[in-house]
Amino acid sequence: MPPRPRRNRGKLIAGLVVAGMVLFWVAFAGLGAFLSASDTGTRSGGPGGTAAGRGSKDGKRPEPEPATYRGVNLPDGHFLALGDRPLRPRDLDEGGVVSELTYLSGFVGGGRLGIDEPNGKMALLERSQKGTLATCRAETRFVDDVQVKRLAPGARLCVRTSTGHVALVTYRGHSPESAPSDYVKLDVTVWRNAIEAEDG
């Protein structure tokens, strides 16, 4: 059999070279697209993105999830610190924690619920107002305390603390006369880190 012409072998080699170059450029383009997508995902808060990137699109802090505690019995001489998890009454003699929402009964006219920290704010809501985070953020009719005898079951208070927490406090009632201790029963919904914390 006569030998195959050399020009056919040259065409074969040239074809392989061209095919190799095509595969190289396809692979290079694919790698570039992959790196670009990875970089975009990092900057936009995708997998591997930064915590700041995972925030809302307009750069604002995400709305905090509410934590609700029902049937909290707050005794005389005790307070609630809204940062506690879970929320629990603390004795006013307990040091190291700022007393925020307090209940004291040693007043003329009966017990009072009050905001004890200097930079804290408390307001009594009207019945027509919605008990929402937005309402408690916006309310400005502040009081230092409120007499418990003025509160009917279902009355609501907004509390804002200098540590950045907001609470909706719903009054459920007072201990009966026959009870061995003096306390108020509350439902408390807390939005932690819902406002800017204040210094001092």
Side-chain angles (χ1 to χ4, degrees):
M1 177 181 294
R4 182 174 299 177
R6 295 181 60 87
R7 63 175 178 275
N8 291 340
R9 184 179 302 175
K11 289 181 179 179
L12 176 61
I13 293 173
L16 291 174
V17 170
V18 172
M21 293 178 64
V22 170
L23 290 174
F24 172 80
W25 284 111
V26 169
F28 182 81
L31 178 61
F34 173 79
L35 292 176
S36 177
S38 298
D39 181 60
T40 302
T42 300
R43 286 184 284 107
S44 64
T50 62
R54 287 192 293 269
S56 58
K57 293 181 180 180
D58 56 8
K60 296 181 180 179
R61 72 169 70 194
E63 290 296 300
E65 291 294 327
T68 300
Y69 304 89
R70 301 189 184 280
V72 178
N73 293 323
L74 183 60
D76 176 32
H78 286 69
F79 71 94
L80 298 177
L82 300 184
D84 281 348
R85 301 171 187 261
L87 199 65
R88 61 182 179 86
R90 290 176 176 262
D91 195 298
L92 279 171
D93 293 331
E94 183 176 341
V97 180
V98 176
S99 55
E100 292 170 344
L101 180 66
T102 63
Y103 173 57
L104 294 171
S105 64
F107 293 96
V108 175
R112 294 173 180 262
L113 277 170
I115 184 75
D116 198 45
E117 66 154 321
N119 295 323
K121 301 288 189 292
M122 185 174 76
L124 179 62
L125 295 184
E126 303 287 350
R127 288 184 177 273
S128 59
Q129 290 181 280
K130 295 181 178 180
T132 64
L133 174 58
T135 298
C136 287
R137 279 173 170 164
E139 183 55 67
T140 58
R141 295 175 299 111
F142 302 128
V143 295
D144 292 328
D145 55 46
V146 61
Q147 288 183 312
V148 170
K149 69 179 183 181
R150 290 186 54 202
L151 299 176
R156 295 162 302 154
L157 298 157
C158 283
V159 176
R160 304 205 307 252
T161 73
S162 62
T163 51
H165 307 319
V166 176
L168 177 71
V169 180
T170 304
Y171 175 75
R172 294 303 182 191
H174 185 271
S175 56
E177 293 294 333
S178 58
S181 62
D182 185 354
Y183 62 88
V184 289
K185 184 179 288 293
L186 310 170
D187 291 344
V188 185
T189 297
V190 182
W191 294 272
R192 294 184 174 92
N193 303 311
I195 57 177
E196 291 295 329
E198 300 179 19
D199 294 332

